[in-house]
């Protein structure tokens, strides 16, 4: 039986808070809303995220989703007001500094009801109108209990994560902050620096913008006031990764400036290695595949015809390998498909006259 | 009448060359293919990109699409072999250095048949199997004639660009190289540096990777050998932007390290300005919009009901503004839609009982 039954009180109905509330509603859990802004509160309620909190409400879990500058205060208030009967969590991007601050406002027994957490989800947009009940589906959500946290409280928070469709990742607060400095704050700051270089460019140069620069700079469009707070709250870990970045940038400038091409290529290869280090979408391994072998005559358009027939058969081709034998007019093509799609593909291709090899 | 009627000879059937050939075939123009690799040539032909070139073929336009290290040689060969009757272009990422090299191999009259160009399209994948006839649709394609280029030759190349569905952008070779250093090479190198920081990270940290880091590092997965050649061929312009980047990185490190929050926020704001400098997808201004005003009762879920009804009416909401009047139980919501969709939306909402304001 689920530890989290509700009600859930969401304090702060911005993008994340409203999304948490919508996800709880999607799961049939009662939600209560609070926000210092009546406009945000009414919008969030209008969107179906829940009803405004009233005197006498007794939440089981309080989710604090306010901007970083007010986070410690709001967590402390929630613990003092509801902590006796409720669990308190938050969705803040940085864990250590707010935790230290909260620890100065409440005693250890009260603090044991607090379990920090952080969903790795969001968008460049903000506010309740940008919220979605599916924002967290398949995303990682860090759960960062301090040493004195109540194990039952941790279970309730992990239940919230599951209920919102996310994947819990347990880390202590310091490890979390070092991790996000690298996986979130550094990419953000770098995107900002690259975008800043565009702000100075002549329009005819900018006309040559392609998909790459859009991808790299997309997140630079986020709220500067919010990110100033995030970076400032994690300054030690952020300075660490920025320093590493500067060292590598200097190495790159040296390699390019002195035309040391093998060194430049090694730096570029390290980038490829890095992209492969990022886990698959849900942190799950790729699904198993099977190879389907087809003989394809080396005539113009024959390969295109094979792919078109695969498309009509409704089978997605994950990868293709072609073995041309220079001495023969027919090549063997290996189509890599999801394991369960191999038989249907073989049948579809055989019915269309292709020579397959079982 | 189109200047470019064909045949088009594509030299180098990798991603770009094969895509150009496929786009020409899509437009009904005859294509001929050449490649030092028989495998690539057979695959490209198999995909319907054209037939292998034979002795006696007389192309109208030669598109040189070989890797940067061989580019000048291949352009020179094409001019010497076909230049008397044909126009020669290329798709290389860097224009000045190859042009200077080619100018040492042919005389000015021969060189006048060469008009450099560069489509701003591609992917992290390479090779003919990754090609698509739609790769260039709506993309910018730089056309970079040198001073002695034949105006008729420029027209033929601009015709190719239009035929491939792209938008021509005229620049001289040096301006092009400075532009792409900023809009393409810098983002690429920065993505590589950020991805390099991930290669060193513990797996439990990487578990917290979200969409932002994936976007920033996606292009870092590209072929390191190719990018070494591109960067080396544009080293002067690249060093210029890398130097600007290092200065800004130092400023950022200073602001974070000394807790200068207003300065940090200004740097972040510059990033937002930069993202807005990137032109819309096709370099075209946004389409005109119109506002539709609807009264929405401040009850839980009412706003969600309005959006659901908009969705059922098949009208896309570009933006929303909500005006809550604290004294009234009804709020006025402004829905911003494409101009031609406003009337259909008003009718649909009115038929569902909403109070609109025309």
């Amino acid at each position: 039986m689920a530890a989290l039954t509700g009600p859930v009180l969401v304090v702060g109905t911005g993008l994340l808070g409203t999304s948490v509330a919508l996800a709880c509603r999607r799961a049939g859990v009662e939600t209560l809303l609070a926000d210092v802004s009546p406009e945000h509160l009414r919008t969030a309620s209008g969107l179906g995220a829940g009803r405004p909190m009233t005197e006498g409400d007794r939440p089981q879990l309080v989710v604090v989703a306010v901007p970083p500058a007010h986070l410690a205060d709001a967590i402390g208030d929630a613990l003092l007001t509801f902590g006796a009967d409720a669990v308190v969590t938050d969705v803040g991007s940085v864990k250590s500094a707010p935790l230290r601050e909260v620890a100065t406002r409440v005693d250890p027994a009260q603090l044991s009801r607090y379990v920090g957490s952080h969903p790795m989800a969001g968008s460049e947009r903000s506010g309740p109108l940008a919220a979605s009940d599916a924002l967290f589906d398949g995303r990682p959500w860090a759960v960062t209990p301090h040493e004195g946290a109540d194990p039952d409280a941790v279970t309730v928070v992990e239940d919230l994560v599951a209920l919102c469709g996310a994947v819990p990742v347990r880390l202590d607060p310091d490890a979390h902050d070092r991790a996000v400095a690298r996986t979130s704050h550094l990419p953000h700051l770098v995107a900002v620096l690259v975008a800043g270089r565009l702000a100075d460019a002549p329009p005819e140069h900018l006309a040559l913008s392609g998909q790459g620069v859009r991808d790299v700079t997309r997140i630079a469009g986020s709220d500067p006031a919010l990110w100033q707070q995030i970076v400032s709250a994690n300054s030690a870990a952020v300075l660490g990764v920025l320093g590493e970045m500067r060292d590598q940038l200097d190495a790159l400038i040296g390699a390019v400036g002195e035309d040391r091409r093998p060194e430049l290529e090694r730096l570029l290869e390290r980038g490829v290695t890095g992209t492969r280090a990022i886990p698959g979408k849900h942190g799950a391994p790729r699904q198993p595949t099977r190879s389907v072998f087809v003989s394809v005559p080396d005539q113009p358009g024959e390969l295109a015809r094979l792919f078109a027939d695969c498309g009509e058969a409704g089978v997605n081709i994950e990868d293709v390998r072609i073995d041309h034998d220079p001495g023969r007019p027919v090549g063997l093509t290996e189509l890599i498909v999801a394991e369960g799609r191999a038989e249907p593909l073989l049948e579809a291709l055989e019915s269309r006259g292709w020579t397959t090899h079982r």
Side-chain angles (χ1 to χ4, degrees), chain A residues 192-279:
Chain A
V192 163
L193 291 180
V194 174
R197 304 293 80 237
L198 301 176
D200 296 333
E204 56 274 18
H205 288 200
L206 293 168
L208 296 195
S209 299
Q211 192 56 39
V213 66
R214 288 182 169 90
D215 285 346
V216 171
T217 58
R218 184 185 61 85
I219 56 179
S222 305
D223 180 5
L226 172 65
W227 275 88
Q228 178 275 108
Q229 294 173 45
I230 291 172
V231 170
S232 301
N234 199 23
S235 58
V238 166
L239 281 170
V241 289
L242 285 180
E244 290 175 18
M245 182 82 180
R246 182 171 54 184
D247 291 343
Q248 292 300 301
L249 178 57
D250 282 344
L252 177 65
I253 288 173
V256 175
E258 291 162 38
D259 206 28
R260 297 197 296 262
R261 299 185 185 199
E263 192 181 323
L264 171 57
E265 194 164 334
R266 270 198 305 278
L267 279 160
L268 293 164
E269 282 163 1
R270 201 115 182 82
V272 176
T273 307
T275 58
R276 295 198 181 126
I278 300 174

Side-chain angles (χ1 to χ4, degrees), chain A residues 296-340:
Chain A
V296 181
D298 277 322
Q299 293 300 321
E302 281 296 294
L303 202 50
R305 193 164 71 82
L306 174 63
F307 293 150
D309 285 350
C310 294
E312 274 180 36
V315 179
N316 185 50
I317 309 299
E318 305 282 336
D319 204 353
V320 179
R321 291 181 200 143
I322 299 179
D323 179 24
H324 291 288
D325 181 340
R328 293 169 64 237
V330 175
L332 195 66
T333 295
E334 181 183 357
L335 304 169
I336 294 158
V337 300
E339 197 165 44

Side-chain angles (χ1 to χ4, degrees), chain A residues 118-191:
Chain A
H118 174 210
M120 304 302 299
S123 94
E124 322 76 79
R125 300 176 303 153
S126 56
L129 284 166
S132 159
D133 64 9
L135 194 73
F136 311 103
D137 286 349
R139 302 290 192 157
W141 187 317
V143 178
T144 61
H146 58 92
E147 275 188 26
D150 191 335
D152 291 343
V154 178
T155 304
V156 166
V157 173
E158 285 182 336
D159 237 27
L160 173 73
V161 171
L163 193 137
C164 289
V167 180
V169 180
R170 192 83 80 89
L171 284 166
D172 70 58
D174 282 324
H176 166 277
D177 290 354
R178 288 194 306 276
V180 295
R182 195 178 294 273
T183 64
S184 172
H185 304 165
L186 177 68
H188 188 91
L189 291 170
V190 157

Side-chain angles (χ1 to χ4, degrees), chain A residues 15-224:
Chain A
L15 167 70
L16 287 183
T18 305
S19 296
V20 169
L22 287 169
C24 287
R25 293 300 303 127
R26 179 179 75 173
V29 171
E30 183 192 359
T31 54
L32 311 164
L33 308 175
D35 198 310
V36 294
S37 154
E39 286 80 18
H40 275 189
L41 187 59
R42 285 158 74 164
T43 300
S45 176
L47 290 168
R51 65 165 176 82
M53 167 123 194
T54 51
E55 195 71 46
D57 278 322
R58 293 279 171 271
Q60 182 196 17
L61 170 68
V62 181
V63 179
V64 177
V66 304
H70 308 286
L71 190 54
D73 279 347
I75 295 170
D77 288 347
L79 285 170
L80 294 170
T81 311
F82 300 107
D85 305 305
V87 173
V88 176
T89 188
D90 69 308
V91 294
S93 312
V94 181
K95 311 316 298 174
S96 303
L99 174 67
R100 277 195 300 273
E101 257 196 86
V102 175
T104 67
R105 292 154 205 261
V106 301
D107 62 45
Q110 290 162 327
L111 192 62
S112 73
R113 306 299 292 156
Y114 169 64
V115 176
S117 74
H118 174 210
M120 304 302 299
S123 94
E124 322 76 79
R125 300 176 303 153
S126 56
L129 284 166
S132 159
D133 64 9
L135 194 73
F136 311 103
D137 286 349
R139 302 290 192 157
W141 187 317
V143 178
T144 61
H146 58 92
E147 275 188 26
D150 191 335
D152 291 343
V154 178
T155 304
V156 166
V157 173
E158 285 182 336
D159 237 27
L160 173 73
V161 171
L163 193 137
C164 289
V167 180
V169 180
R170 192 83 80 89
L171 284 166
D172 70 58
D174 282 324
H176 166 277
D177 290 354
R178 288 194 306 276
V180 295
R182 195 178 294 273
T183 64
S184 172
H185 304 165
L186 177 68
H188 188 91
L189 291 170
V190 157
V192 163
L193 291 180
V194 174
R197 304 293 80 237
L198 301 176
D200 296 333
E204 56 274 18
H205 288 200
L206 293 168
L208 296 195
S209 299
Q211 192 56 39
V213 66
R214 288 182 169 90
D215 285 346
V216 171
T217 58
R218 184 185 61 85
I219 56 179
S222 305
D223 180 5

